[in-house]
Amino acid sequence: NGDLTFADNSKAKFGAGDDLQIYSNGVAGYIDHVTTGTGADLILRSKTFVVRNLSDETMIVGNQNGAVELYYDNVKKFETASAGVSVTGNVVPAADSTHDLGTNGVRWNAIYGDTISGNFYGNGSNITILNIVGDTSPQLGGDLDTTSHSVF
């Protein structure tokens, strides 16, 4: 039938120094590129690069001169674009909220809040909301003046 059959842990080796090796250990399959130093990359080339699981569900799609898409359970959740990225669903920051959002020094907890106790910060041109209570409803006592953007 033209098939090549290898026993577990037997490797198909390619290159003068057996640089590229393809094999199975009976539990997992491997493609190893064992060259060290400059030029040690494993390069896969295609106009569209697709990774699917054994149920034929899409996991990753890379498009030539276009988007890279990541999927969860066969549903696209993250996609790159020329203007940035698109996310379907929620972005959940690390629990400690000590990581910056972008390069401007704004912390995730300024946007998300550790326990919805909040603190949305501003710089004079943005709305600043402090002390959102734990029941997630903003408590802004007073009136909101929409012309001066102040709460009094």
Side-chain angles (χ1 to χ4, degrees), residues 33-115:
H33 188 236
V34 296
T35 302
T36 59
T38 304
D41 298 334
L42 174 63
I43 299 171
L44 305 173
R45 300 192 315 173
S46 176
K47 288 184 178 182
T48 302
F49 174 75
V50 179
V51 177
R52 291 192 174 113
N53 64 19
L54 292 175
S55 299
D56 207 33
E57 294 177 335
T58 301
M59 299 165 64
I60 302 170
V61 174
N63 297 290
Q64 180 174 304
N65 300 320
V68 174
E69 304 164 354
L70 300 177
Y71 291 73
Y72 177 84
D73 198 17
N74 209 34
V75 176
K76 184 170 33 173
K77 294 296 183 174
F78 187 91
E79 178 178 10
T80 62
S82 62
V85 299
S86 296
V87 176
T88 302
N90 296 320
V91 176
V92 181
D96 63 7
S97 298
T98 60
H99 304 291
D100 287 344
L101 175 62
T103 58
N104 61 4
V106 173
R107 298 286 178 165
W108 272 106
N109 67 342
I111 306 299
Y112 178 73
D114 286 334
T115 58

